[in-house]
Amino acid sequence: MSEFSSDIYTEPTPIDINTLNNLGPLAPMAGIWKGERGLDIKPKADGPRKQAYVERIELYPIDPVTNGPQLFYGLRYLIIINKPGQAKTYHEQVGYWLWEPATSTVIQTLGIPRGQIAMASAVVAPDAKEFELVARLESDTYGIRSNPFLEYGFKTVEYRIKVTINDDGSWGYEEDTVMMIRGQEEPFHHVDRNLLFKVSEPLPNPQASGIAA
């Protein structure tokens, strides 16, 4: 028995176009953020190595999105990470945080310019202050895809991100990217964590702001 209706075309009505009012647990994350005390634990030939980093995240609301009867509200994001005192980008990432109110599902899509994409998900309460999303290599839906070299040398088998919303308005994350590295028998846990503070409020989506063409 399918969990979906046989009607895959009819869109829900009415739809509230004010995304900022419909983000569920993602609402506190909207805006522009900076983190100054990031920590990256990465693999090197001689073993794990720690790297400090600074980070800027832009999370802007998008207009509501439908797949037939399915309805998403979301945030488009850009992450730029640098080593302290260096101008060269250390890590860049783009994607979407999505909230599906009907199923209480949070989805994160991500793409990085190493030739890798992933999509993680979790069922989350609308007012949750802490939640963890997971993507797995073997999944046909919420999964991971990598270019041939990464699949050969640094096969990513699981990705997790745990988000914590704090009472002071800040929020933090801890990521665990589990990799099977060529020549090593045990999985390597590539961990990243940071605490983020708001530097600017989010810009409303064009429809909600009344300035759409």
Side-chain angles (χ1 to χ4, degrees):
M1 182 70 117
S2 172
E3 63 182 297
F4 304 110
S5 167
S6 59
D7 179 1
I8 61 172
Y9 297 103
T10 302
E11 297 183 357
T13 57
I15 295 175
D16 184 355
I17 61 172
N18 192 330
T19 293
L20 289 173
N21 289 343
N22 292 279
L23 285 169
L26 303 180
M29 298 167 58
I32 300 177
W33 306 81
K34 283 189 176 180
E36 304 289 340
R37 298 180 62 107
L39 176 64
D40 175 31
I41 302 175
K42 57 186 177 180
K44 288 293 183 180
D46 56 355
R49 184 179 302 176
K50 293 181 178 181
Q51 173 63 57
Y53 63 85
V54 296
E55 177 174 13
R56 176 185 170 93
I57 302 182
E58 301 176 2
L59 289 137
Y60 291 125
I62 61 173
D63 291 336
V65 177
T66 58
N67 296 317
Q70 188 175 44
L71 172 64
F72 288 115
Y73 292 95
L75 299 166
R76 178 196 317 111
Y77 74 86
L78 166 65
I79 298 174
I80 299 292
I81 291 176
N82 300 85
K83 294 180 181 180
Q86 292 191 14
K88 180 181 178 295
T89 299
Y90 178 56
H91 177 79
E92 181 173 329
Q93 184 175 314
V94 297
Y96 295 92
W97 284 92
L98 301 173
W99 167 243
E100 186 180 16
T103 63
S104 293
T105 300
V106 171
I107 297 172
Q108 183 200 21
T109 70
L110 66 92
I112 60 175
R114 297 176 180 272
Q116 190 171 54
I117 58 174
M119 183 163 60
S121 73
V123 174
V124 180
D127 59 350
K129 299 300 182 184
E130 186 173 278
F131 48 92
E132 184 177 59
L133 281 60
V134 183
R136 295 185 175 90
L137 178 63
E138 71 270 15
S139 175
D140 290 331
T141 53
Y142 300 114
I144 301 161
R145 290 295 178 266
S146 305
N147 79 62
F149 171 75
L150 289 180
E151 191 72 5
Y152 170 81
F154 301 89
K155 181 193 289 285
T156 299
V157 297
E158 185 178 273
Y159 163 80
R160 292 177 176 268
I161 180 168
K162 182 178 180 181
V163 172
T164 302
I165 309 296
N166 301 312
D167 292 338
D168 64 358
S170 66
W171 65 279
Y173 66 84
E174 180 164 334
E175 295 178 355
D176 184 6
T177 303
V178 184
M179 298 185 293
M180 298 304 300
I181 298 176
R182 189 166 186 81
Q184 298 183 16
E185 294 185 1
E186 296 299 319
F188 182 90
H189 291 263
H190 184 168
V191 176
D192 297 280
R193 63 175 69 98
N194 208 352
L195 178 63
L196 300 154
F197 295 90
K198 185 179 285 186
V199 297
S200 180
E201 294 296 329
L203 297 174
N205 56 324
Q207 296 287 2
S209 67
I211 60 174

